[in-house]
Amino acid sequence: MDLIKHTLVEVRGLKLHVAEIGTGPKVVLFLHGFPEIWYTWRYQMNAVAAAGYRAIAIDFRGYGLSEQPAEPEKGNFMDLVDDVVALLDTLGINKVFLIGKDFGSITAYLVAVVHPERVSGLVSLGIPFLLPGPNCIRNDLMPSGFYITRWQEPGRAEADFGRLDVKTVVRNIYILFSGTEPPTARDDQEIMDLVDPSTPLPPWFSEKDLAAYASLYEKSGFRFALQVPYRSLGIDCGITDPKVTAPTLMINGQKDYLLKFAGMEDYTKSEQLKHFVPDLDNVFLDEGNHFVHENLPKQVNELIINFLSKHCD
């Protein structure tokens, strides 16, 4: 961890926090999800750097040490796509391997669709090909207390999270997202009420890890995080007939609660995915959960490095 360098790089008028280790022309860019931050890639960054790659992880705009946009409530996924491409331009990187998790995977897919010439390959952790739009996540087929529905409601998550300190919010979300069922509240509950304060952290996630996450979210808060991904998931990105032409590896945890979203497991395991991502390898790890890269880092790192080696120019 001490060898990872940290800089702020100006991209489209905002300073983005960039963490980096390794050197050379073969570049891997990591794109985090929620409630994550650059730190979520600590195991993967060191592994790919040791394998001879330049590993870069960012905090998206509005997250962690990156600056907030002037109007966070107007943010959408295409802002992140444009940031990624502008960052590559600023750093003088022509082509890159993208590795995404959660909504970082959606961003990676979008970059690969809109700017195929910039993507050597793509690894998605737990997310099949999805584009933002009305049918991205079928909230209407989930219970009314489904966490995404709750967090899309203006002001509701802010009030729920605001009862607790930032560290407890991150702790609770990590515990909830490590389970096998989508977090769903009763009508008389909020999402934070689903976690008993005595519940321990997952065994693969330490108090030190929690402190690292909390310190970064204490700086940024959750304002932009609630907008992107949650409140912008339904905004159509205007792309018709999308195709990811880059070779793609999808690494899934069989215990990931996302597979319990309406239609998600069938879609994730279907041949329909090949229509959008023709060159796709789809791997399931039996003991993997939503945080498969932290929960099973050795297995995930091996899969990633084999994929990179296979598809390096």
Side-chain angles (χ1 to χ4, degrees), residues 126-176:
I127 298 289
F129 181 82
L130 295 172
L131 289 183
N135 294 317
C136 181
I137 302 294
R138 294 298 303 272
N139 295 24
D140 58 313
L141 300 179
M142 298 296 289
S144 60
F146 180 46
Y147 78 99
I148 291 180
T149 302
R150 290 289 184 90
W151 290 354
Q152 286 177 338
E153 184 181 328
R156 188 155 192 168
E158 288 88 338
D160 187 16
F161 294 178
R163 299 177 294 154
L164 306 167
D165 60 70
V166 167
K167 188 174 183 180
T168 302
V169 173
V170 175
R171 182 181 186 279
N172 287 354
I173 297 172
Y174 246 83
I175 289 169
L176 288 171

Side-chain angles (χ1 to χ4, degrees), residues 78 106 108-116 129-132 236-246 267 272-279:
M78 295 311 293
I106 298 177
Y109 286 131
L110 281 166
V111 173
V113 168
V114 180
H115 301 280
F129 181 82
L130 295 172
L131 289 183
D236 196 303
C237 54
I239 296 171
T240 56
D241 194 25
K243 281 277 193 302
V244 174
T245 55
Y267 175 56
Q272 185 185 357
L273 272 180
K274 293 283 184 83
H275 172 75
F276 302 109
V277 190
D279 190 358

Side-chain angles (χ1 to χ4, degrees), residues 117-272:
E117 75 285 355
R118 308 302 293 269
V119 181
S120 299
L122 189 156
V123 180
S124 172
L125 302 182
I127 298 289
F129 181 82
L130 295 172
L131 289 183
N135 294 317
C136 181
I137 302 294
R138 294 298 303 272
N139 295 24
D140 58 313
L141 300 179
M142 298 296 289
S144 60
F146 180 46
Y147 78 99
I148 291 180
T149 302
R150 290 289 184 90
W151 290 354
Q152 286 177 338
E153 184 181 328
R156 188 155 192 168
E158 288 88 338
D160 187 16
F161 294 178
R163 299 177 294 154
L164 306 167
D165 60 70
V166 167
K167 188 174 183 180
T168 302
V169 173
V170 175
R171 182 181 186 279
N172 287 354
I173 297 172
Y174 246 83
I175 289 169
L176 288 171
F177 284 10
S178 297
T180 58
E181 297 292 330
T184 304
R186 299 189 311 263
D187 289 346
D188 62 346
Q189 283 182 313
E190 297 300 329
I191 298 300
M192 290 295 102
D193 297 329
L194 296 173
V195 181
D196 185 316
S198 66
T199 305
L201 287 169
W204 43 266
F205 191 73
S206 70
E207 288 290 342
K208 179 184 174 186
D209 296 331
L210 176 60
Y213 279 84
S215 68
L216 294 167
Y217 275 99
E218 281 164 1
K219 179 186 180 298
S220 65
F222 300 103
R223 187 177 173 189
F224 189 79
L226 288 167
Q227 176 63 23
V228 182
Y230 296 102
R231 293 172 186 165
S232 58
L233 268 176
I235 299 174
D236 196 303
C237 54
I239 296 171
T240 56
D241 194 25
K243 281 277 193 302
V244 174
T245 55
T248 300
L249 170 66
M250 189 176 165
I251 304 172
N252 309 274
Q254 188 58 56
K255 295 183 177 181
D256 190 338
Y257 73 91
L258 257 69
L259 293 173
K260 301 285 182 66
F261 285 17
M264 188 65 79
E265 183 163 15
D266 287 345
Y267 175 56
T268 299
K269 295 179 176 180
S270 75
E271 285 299 308
Q272 185 185 357

Side-chain angles (χ1 to χ4, degrees), residues 50-66:
Y53 297 85
R54 180 182 177 189
I56 300 171
I58 63 172
D59 292 344
F60 281 121
R61 60 168 54 209
Y63 281 81
L65 299 177
S66 292

Side-chain angles (χ1 to χ4, degrees), residues 6 14 26 42 52 67 159 174 208 212 229 236 250 263 306:
H6 298 269
L14 293 175
K26 300 180 294 184
R42 57 201 179 280
E67 288 185 334
Y174 246 83
K208 179 184 174 186
D236 196 303
M250 189 176 165
N306 286 344

